[in-house]
Amino acid sequence: MNLAGKTALVTGSTSGIGLGIAKRLAEAGANLVLNGFGDAEPALAAVRAAGGQVRHHPADMARPKQIAELVAFVESEFGALDILVNNAGIQHVAPVDEFPPERWDSILAINLSSVFHTTRLALPGMRRRGWGRIVNIASVHGLVGSTGKAAYVAAKHGVVGLTKVVALETAQEPITCNAICPGWVLTPLVQQQIDERARADGDLERARHDLLAEKQPSLEFVTPEQLGELTLYLCSDAAAQVRGVAWNIDGGWAAR
Ligand code: NAD
């Protein structure tokens, strides 16, 4: 797939899955706008090395005004926003009756509402230019539940629902909207959960194994590179009639 001349925005791409996807889209020739917190320089260098032009915008995806500034930035820097990858996300683990309401609000804002805002702002330009791809990084938690993850599971199920609606509203246009539902991927977001499990006995290796064994039958992590390949496929002409799917890539998690 040659994405030369196309511009992609990947939210939450200063680390983890978003960075893996941004690198793969850059290798395919796309211009990239990265977003996310922390020092953006290493991510910018990695995407630059993969090819294409790259910028960073530090919008907080919890804030609609900053999201609007981000989309305007992409369009003013590169003249278009052709590929929108909604990836920014956070996690908090606690039983529902102990779940801090402010964490619920942040998870819903970043993991779900931001997808609504970027989509509503990006669609008019995609329609004007007659081409677009929206790829929402949901989770296997958009398909099934797990204890302790009320806000995350609710938000990710919401992303899968929103994906279907946008796919239906664009069904007769050269614009597609799909969701990817990864199982465990070893990124800072998951390392934090492994560290919490290891706090009791300090055995990180066992914590890693137990985390996988509970949910992911393959006992192997999904990689950001594999998610980059699937995203690239969804951006291709071959995927023009893939619309509104929630595609799990989860080592067999949802098959149980
Ligand atoms: P990560 O913590 O490595 O990266 C998250 C990125 O989002 C970072 O760049 C961070 O700076 C950015 N971010 C966080 N809050 C933000 C905000 N308010 N505004 C802008 N950027 C913000 O996490 P990851 O594991 O790469 O997760 C990426 C996405 O994949 C998330 O939506 C997550 O729910 C989803 N996911 C992850 C896994 C996994 O096992 N890691 C599995 C399924 C789905």
Side-chain angles (χ1 to χ4, degrees):
M1 181 63 192
N2 184 357
L3 295 179
K6 302 277 194 241
T7 297
L9 164 63
V10 185
T11 68
S13 46
T14 47
S15 87
I17 294 169
L19 179 55
I21 292 172
K23 282 198 285 196
R24 190 65 190 94
L25 296 180
E27 277 166 14
N31 299 317
L32 259 300
V33 175
L34 307 183
N35 155 260
F37 296 151
D39 179 8
E41 264 318 309
L44 282 165
V47 175
R48 209 173 284 124
Q53 295 192 64
V54 56
R55 309 273 190 279
H56 171 258
H57 190 285
D60 179 345
M61 299 308 290
R63 298 178 186 277
K65 186 167 170 289
Q66 293 187 27
I67 295 173
E69 288 163 5
L70 168 64
V71 172
F73 174 80
V74 179
E75 291 181 335
S76 80
E77 285 293 302
F78 292 115
L81 198 181
D82 305 298
I83 298 168
L84 168 63
V85 181
N86 286 303
N87 167 79
I90 59 167
Q91 176 63 284
H92 185 84
V93 183
V96 69
D97 53 334
E98 292 167 23
F99 212 92
E102 62 282 2
R103 296 298 288 168
W104 170 276
D105 288 345
S106 325
I107 291 176
L108 268 286
I110 296 165
N111 296 17
L112 176 58
S113 298
S114 77
V115 182
F116 160 67
H117 291 297
T118 54
T119 302
R120 76 181 169 80
L121 292 163
L123 260 181
M126 290 178 177
R127 286 192 161 125
R128 263 197 317 278
R129 289 182 297 275
W131 194 89
R133 291 287 186 268
I134 301 172
V135 180
N136 295 326
I137 306 306
S139 165
V140 68
H141 281 123
L143 305 172
V144 299
S146 286
T147 54
K149 297 188 174 173
Y152 189 84
V153 169
K156 295 298 188 178
H157 274 68
V159 170
V160 169
L162 176 58
T163 301
K164 291 176 184 172
V165 173
V166 175
L168 290 174
E169 291 185 4
T170 54
Q172 294 175 13
E173 302 175 71
I175 297 168
T176 69
C177 178
N178 292 292
I180 294 179
C181 298
W184 292 124
V185 187
L186 191 55
T187 65
L189 183 139
V190 166
Q191 187 61 47
Q192 208 180 319
Q193 294 171 60
I194 294 173
D195 294 345
E196 271 161 31
R197 281 169 177 259
R199 204 164 289 150
D201 63 1
D203 189 338
L204 270 175
E205 206 38 59
R206 187 179 11 212
R208 232 171 98 122
H209 174 271
D210 290 353
L211 177 114
L212 282 170
E214 266 174 26
K215 300 282 186 185
Q216 199 144 305
S218 67
L219 298 181
E220 287 183 33
F221 288 102
V222 182
T223 67
E225 291 72 23
Q226 290 162 349
L227 294 165
E229 291 296 337
L230 182 52
T231 303
L232 189 60
Y233 167 69
L234 291 173
C235 292
S236 71
D237 294 337
Q241 291 311 321
V242 180
R243 291 171 184 264
V245 305
W247 190 319
N248 45 314
I249 168 166
D250 62 2
W253 181 326
R256 296 223 242 225

